[in-house]
Amino acid sequence: MSVWQLVAVGLVMLLGLVGVLLPGVPGQAIVWAALLWWALTDMTPAAWGVLIGATGLMLLNQALKPLLPPRRPGESGAPRRTLMIGGVAGIVGFFVVPVVGGVLGYVGAIFGAERLRLGGRGAAWTSVRSVMRATGYAVLVELFCCLLVAGAWLGAVLWG
């Protein structure tokens, strides 16, 4: 696979990661489609192993989705900008501090944005709890699943 194709696959995965944060955009399907494109083009055992593992992980995520609270961004009381800041920070945090950085970045950025908006620490934590109840858990689980897939792809490309 050429470098340009790898860049294109990475950009499509990034588009899917951002799509997870936007309601109505099938971000998980976009990430999986990018991985499928890479595996069908690369045709190595590592590529197929990553695709099989990612497919299993994403199917597990789909099975667990009904157990999580539904997304209701309007009920959180936080502006959409706060949710986007949290999502972008979760994506960056996942790659800066592998795995746990995604959760820390998401929750930490929401807390920081809400503290700036509301002015107090107690009000910010109350808002974080409200955001996590209204949208956070569902978004965080789906984002984390897609980040694991993107990280496995990146690892297979760099070390495979």
Side-chain angles (χ1 to χ4, degrees):
M1 184 171 231
S2 73
V3 172
W4 292 110
Q5 285 178 318
L6 288 173
V7 169
V9 168
L11 289 174
V12 171
M13 279 196 186
L14 185 60
L15 177 70
L17 289 172
V18 172
V20 168
L21 304 174
L22 301 172
V25 178
Q28 187 173 347
I30 293 171
V31 170
W32 186 83
L35 191 69
L36 178 67
W37 172 24
W38 169 70
L40 289 174
T41 306
D42 203 3
M43 302 291 268
T44 62
W48 286 101
V50 170
L51 179 65
I52 291 167
T55 302
L57 181 65
M58 290 186 170
L59 287 173
L60 179 65
N61 182 37
Q62 288 298 314
L64 293 177
K65 201 177 262 190
L67 301 176
L68 297 171
R71 289 185 186 186
R72 290 188 214 119
E75 291 182 10
S76 70
R80 186 174 299 276
R81 182 178 62 97
T82 298
L83 301 175
M84 288 302 292
I85 289 171
V88 170
I91 292 170
V92 171
F94 181 83
F95 291 104
V96 172
V97 180
V99 184
V100 296
V103 175
L104 296 176
Y106 183 78
V107 175
I110 289 175
F111 173 76
E114 288 299 283
R115 181 160 180 165
L116 286 174
R117 183 174 75 94
L118 299 172
R121 185 175 152 195
W125 275 120
T126 303
S127 182
V128 168
R129 283 192 301 274
S130 170
V131 166
M132 291 303 287
R133 272 192 237 94
T135 62
Y137 296 118
V139 170
L140 192 59
V141 168
E142 188 172 348
L143 180 63
F144 193 68
C145 174
C146 289
L147 283 169
L148 285 174
V149 169
W153 169 76
L154 190 61
V157 167
L158 293 177
W159 292 288

